[in-house]
């Protein structure tokens, strides 16, 4: 029987209805028989007595008090958060630092060229605010109150505006809206196909298979010669971790050499790195320090200079790790065997894992993007077409593939993608290992992330301009040419940032002021939510961040669009190579494991060369003495006010979904524009 209330329940005992009381969690039962009694909590007919009603009322009162207490706690927390937010905004405005400061402008860039997009956005914002005031005045008939015959003129102006937007503005706007919608659907279809490919790989258990190496590390038999390169530039926060990890790779000591390629222009950093290398040399590691006097070509120039050394010809493979990467000891044993018996394989790429993915909201959102990139894009392309973009680090190249492809070139800021495309055009195949991970860092500040994304999205357009003739003339099949031109470059590098910015930051606000041009609700809400869900599948733990992820991706579209335009038209900002700032974060377990695993002289993993916790703290304090501050980002802030203005205008048309999307997207731009999403500097 279902309980009547609380712990009281009606039962049947020998054919007679009785009331039983469940006294405790063990459900001991006391039978209650007899006449109707006002003192009983439940009468025979099942009605509640006065005492029962009083007890029930007390229970309800306690429940309500508990809920009120929780609500008060939530309101207190919300008030505290709003106060903190207000103080942060006040600090930003008071400091007056913006992305237009000389320190944030790339060298040699014309400020006039840099401000063109911002100027267009400001003009659009002013126009939209004027239109909003005009539409609100007409909606409430404000000019008919005490304004004499002015209302006749204003009515004529309004009729002229309606005719202008219906005949001249709406048709091209609708055409552009439809074109961007088609691009959006094509890109969504590409995502769906990639996810289906990833699902097929998982269901079938498809993965690259390597031939085992002979287990004779003493003689080095069947262990090829490997050159390990660590390019770095002014990265004093992370050099100890990467050098220690590379020197402790589980590979015959005589069969690999570590090159520390230091491009630092800070004398103190140079000294620290050189001393670290000397410590490992004294402990028996085969490691050398290289510093270029003429620092040209950024990372590509650094790697090109290192490959010109005479001893490089003795090494068959080249492993590359950026300064913040920490390969596991078995990295070479899990990657190099994939070259054995596969003479066509030129590159083996491992995936990245992140030591600071939960540091703040910005790192969590980056983790979603990169998990999809590695587990879906890289893995599917590696399995089905044996080609993907080299990630610049955590990969092993066949030296012959590098040389036949022309070596490292300084012509773009994406030297890794450049060498990968040229190697693909020469017929080399790539292998991606989703189960081999290499730890690294994510940018924790929006400024660092923004500069990184600018480089990652301007470089491909530079490369596309340079490589298009070579792709057309190459001897690879038509299918591979089509994949390179239409999927790899146009769809994923050009169309994606173009429609993201144009559709959600320009066309959508304009359709609020020009209702004759429609943007369906499914384009605004349902399809973006579906694509965000696809992107978040490889990182299911990030599902609570699906809405912030959707809004943030649209917010980043202004940076990616600007970068794409600068790369496509060879603007000065496209040639600026900025080293992503590192915080030097490493899990405490990594450092402790290094400190505890003291080996003998041949084992190399000794305490004298291990990053000391106290030293790391001192170095971090020294680094933090440099002035760090948050900035105000003008383009994002202007777009925030533009979207909020469009949201206010949408209320006049009663467009619910459009209003909420514009409102939350505007708030997202506002938070990013005030630099409130990443690392906060006190």
């Amino acid at each position: 029987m279902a309980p009547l209330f609380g712990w009281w329940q009606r039962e049947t005992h020998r054919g007679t209805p009785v009331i039983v009381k469940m006294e405790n969690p063990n459900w001991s039962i006391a039978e209650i028989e007899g006449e109707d009694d006002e003192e009983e909590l439940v009468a025979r007919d099942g009605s509640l007595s006065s005492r029962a009603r009083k007890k029930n009322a007390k229970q309800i009162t306690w429940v309500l008090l508990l809920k009120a207490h929780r609500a008060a706690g939530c309101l207190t927390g919300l008030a505290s958060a709003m106060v903190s937010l207000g103080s942060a905004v006040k600090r930003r405005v008071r400091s007056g630092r913006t992305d237009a400061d000389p320190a944030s402008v790339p060298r040699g860039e014309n400020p006039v060229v840099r401000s063109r997009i911002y100027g267009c956005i400001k003009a659009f914002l002013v126009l939209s605010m004027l239109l909003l005031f005009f539409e609100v005045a007409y909606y409430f008939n404000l000019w008919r109150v005490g304004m004499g015959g002015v209302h006749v003129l204003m009515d004529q102006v309004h009729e002229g505006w309606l005719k202008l937007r219906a005949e001249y503005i709406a048709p091209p706007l609708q055409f552009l809206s439809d074109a961007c919608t088609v691009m959006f659907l094509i890109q969504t279809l590409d995502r769906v196909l990639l996810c289906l490919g990833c699902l097929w790989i998982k269901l079938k258990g498809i993965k690259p298979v390597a031939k085992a190496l002979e287990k004779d590390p003493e003689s080095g038999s069947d262990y090829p010669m490997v050159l390990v390169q660590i390019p770095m530039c002014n990265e004093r926060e992370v050099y100890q971790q990467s050098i220690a990890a590379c020197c402790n790779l589980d590979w015959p000591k005589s069969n690999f050499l570590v090159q520390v390629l230091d491009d630092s222009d800070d004398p103190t950093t140079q000294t620290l790195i050189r001393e670290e290398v000397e410590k490992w040399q004294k402990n028996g590691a085969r490691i050398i320090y290289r510093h270029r006097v003429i620092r040209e070509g950024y990372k590509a120039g650094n790697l090109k200079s290192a490959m010109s050394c005479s001893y490089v010809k003795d090494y068959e493979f080249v492993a590359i790790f950026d300064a913040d990467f920490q390969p596991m000891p078995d990295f070479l044993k899990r990657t190099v065997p994939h070259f054995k018996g596969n003479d066509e394989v030129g590159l083996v790429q491992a995936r990245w894992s992140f030591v600071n993915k939960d540091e703040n909201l910005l790192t969590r959102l980056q983790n979603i993007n990169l998990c999809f990139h590695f587990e879906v894009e890289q893995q599917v392309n590696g399995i089905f077409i044996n080609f993907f973009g080299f990630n610049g680090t955590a990969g092993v190249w066949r030296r012959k593939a590098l040389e036949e492809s022309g070596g490292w070139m300084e012509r773009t800021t994406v030297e890794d993608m450049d060498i990968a495309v040229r190697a693909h055009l020469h017929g080399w195949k790539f292998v991606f290992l989703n189960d081999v991970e290499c730890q690294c860092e994510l940018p924790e500040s929006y400024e660092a992330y923004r500069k990184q994304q600018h480089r990652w999205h301007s470089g491909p357009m530079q490369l596309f301009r340079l490589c298009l003739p070579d792709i057309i003339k190459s001897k690879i099949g038509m299918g591979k040419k089509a994949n390179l031109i239409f999927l790899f470059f146009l769809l994923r590098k050009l169309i994606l940032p173009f429609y993201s910015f144009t559709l959600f930051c320009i066309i959508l606000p304009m359709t609020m002021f020009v209702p004759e041009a429609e943007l369906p609700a499914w384009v605004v809400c349902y399809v973006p939510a579906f694509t965000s869900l696809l992107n978040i599948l490889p990182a299911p733990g990030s599902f609570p961040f699906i809405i912030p992820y959707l809004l943030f991706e649209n917010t980043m579209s202004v940076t990616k669009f600007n970068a794409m335009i600068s790369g496509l038209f060879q603007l000065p900002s496209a040639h600026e190579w900025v080293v992503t700032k590192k915080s030097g974060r490493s899990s405490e377990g990594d450092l402790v494991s290094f400190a505890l695993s003291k080996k003998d002289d041949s084992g190399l993993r000794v305490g004298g060369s291990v990053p000391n916790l106290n030293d790391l703290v001192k170095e971090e304090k020294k680094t933090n003495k440099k002035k760090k501050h948050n900035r105000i980002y003008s383009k994002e802030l202007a777009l925030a006010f533009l979207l909020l203005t469009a949201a206010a205008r949408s209320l006049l048309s009663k467009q619910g979904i459009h209003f909420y999307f514009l409102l939350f997207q505007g708030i997202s731009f506002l938070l990013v524009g005030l630099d409130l999403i990443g690392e906060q500097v006190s």
Side-chain angles (χ1 to χ4, degrees), residues 174-213:
Q174 187 65 58
F175 174 78
L176 186 60
S177 172
D178 294 340
C180 287
T181 301
V182 171
M183 296 179 193
F184 188 18
L185 293 177
I186 293 174
Q187 193 268 337
T188 303
L189 178 62
D190 177 55
R191 289 292 168 100
V192 171
L193 292 177
L194 286 173
C195 288
L196 290 176
C198 183
L199 179 62
W200 178 262
I201 291 172
K202 288 186 177 296
L203 291 177
K204 295 295 183 180
I206 303 173
K207 60 184 298 185
V209 179
K211 294 185 178 180
L213 297 173

Side-chain angles (χ1 to χ4, degrees), residues 81-98 630-632 637 670-671 673-676 680-682:
M82 294 303 294
V83 170
S84 300
L85 181 63
S87 62
V89 172
K90 187 177 179 180
R91 288 198 304 270
R92 299 289 188 280
V93 176
R94 183 182 298 172
S95 67
R97 296 187 179 95
T98 67
N630 298 100
R631 300 178 183 275
I632 293 177
L637 213 55
L670 185 63
L671 294 176
L674 294 172
D675 199 4
L676 296 171
Q680 301 299 302
V681 181
S682 302

Side-chain angles (χ1 to χ4, degrees), residues 109-124:
E109 183 172 359
N110 188 347
V112 177
V113 176
R114 178 182 174 84
S115 62
R116 283 177 182 172
I117 293 181
Y118 177 52
C120 293
I121 295 174
K122 283 198 300 184
F124 191 20

Side-chain angles (χ1 to χ4, degrees), residues 483-553:
N483 173 69
L484 267 177
I485 295 174
F486 297 108
L487 290 181
F488 187 77
F489 280 113
L490 290 181
L491 181 61
R492 297 167 188 164
K493 303 297 187 295
L494 188 148
I495 291 178
L496 177 57
F498 174 79
Y499 86 75
S500 297
F501 175 74
T502 307
L503 188 63
F504 296 110
C505 300
I506 302 297
I507 295 176
L508 179 58
M510 287 185 68
T511 56
M512 298 300 102
F513 296 97
V514 186
E516 292 82 359
E518 296 182 357
L519 194 61
W522 57 268
V523 176
V524 176
C525 180
Y526 304 126
V527 177
F530 175 68
T531 55
S532 297
L533 181 62
L534 292 179
N535 288 356
I536 217 166
L537 287 178
S542 303
F543 186 79
F545 301 98
I546 185 170
I547 294 178
Y549 171 74
L550 168 61
L551 298 174
F552 181 68
E553 281 301 291

Side-chain angles (χ1 to χ4, degrees), residues 134-135 138 143 154-163:
F134 181 74
E135 294 283 357
Y138 179 80
W143 54 62
M154 297 305 294
D155 287 341
Q156 293 177 351
V157 171
H158 186 262
E159 290 178 2
W161 161 243
L162 293 179
K163 183 177 180 181

Side-chain angles (χ1 to χ4, degrees), residues 146-329:
M147 296 186 66
V150 177
H151 70 275
V152 178
L153 176 61
M154 297 305 294
D155 287 341
Q156 293 177 351
V157 171
H158 186 262
E159 290 178 2
W161 161 243
L162 293 179
K163 183 177 180 181
L164 175 67
R165 77 186 191 188
E167 295 183 3
Y168 299 101
I169 300 179
L173 182 61
Q174 187 65 58
F175 174 78
L176 186 60
S177 172
D178 294 340
C180 287
T181 301
V182 171
M183 296 179 193
F184 188 18
L185 293 177
I186 293 174
Q187 193 268 337
T188 303
L189 178 62
D190 177 55
R191 289 292 168 100
V192 171
L193 292 177
L194 286 173
C195 288
L196 290 176
C198 183
L199 179 62
W200 178 262
I201 291 172
K202 288 186 177 296
L203 291 177
K204 295 295 183 180
I206 303 173
K207 60 184 298 185
V209 179
K211 294 185 178 180
L213 297 173
E214 295 181 5
K215 297 181 180 180
D216 188 9
E218 296 298 329
S219 64
S221 175
D222 210 23
Y223 283 77
M225 301 290 285
V226 179
L227 179 67
V228 179
Q229 296 179 329
I230 314 175
M232 57 181 66
C233 180
N234 296 325
E235 294 170 283
R236 66 161 64 189
E237 301 87 356
V238 292
Y239 71 92
Q240 288 179 312
Q241 303 167 19
S242 58
I243 291 175
C246 290
C247 287
N248 281 290
L249 287 170
D250 187 9
W251 200 256
K253 190 164 56 174
S254 60
N255 286 36
F256 83 102
L257 171 70
V258 179
Q259 278 185 326
V260 178
L261 311 177
D262 182 23
D263 248 7
S264 304
D265 56 4
D266 176 28
T268 304
T269 304
Q270 294 178 25
T271 302
L272 290 172
I273 297 174
R274 186 183 294 108
E275 289 177 353
E276 184 71 14
V277 171
E278 290 173 355
K279 285 196 294 187
W280 282 99
Q281 288 175 341
K282 291 177 181 178
N283 291 322
R286 296 188 69 234
I287 181 172
I288 60 173
Y289 174 86
R290 281 182 54 86
H291 178 75
R292 294 192 299 162
V293 178
I294 302 176
R295 299 170 58 252
E296 293 182 350
Y298 303 111
K299 181 180 175 181
N302 197 1
L303 293 171
K304 182 178 180 180
S305 174
M307 293 296 292
S308 64
C309 297
S310 58
Y311 56 80
V312 171
K313 65 179 183 297
D314 298 329
Y315 295 87
E316 187 178 357
F317 301 105
V318 180
I320 302 173
F321 301 100
D322 282 350
D324 59 317
F325 278 72
Q326 305 167 51
M328 299 299 290

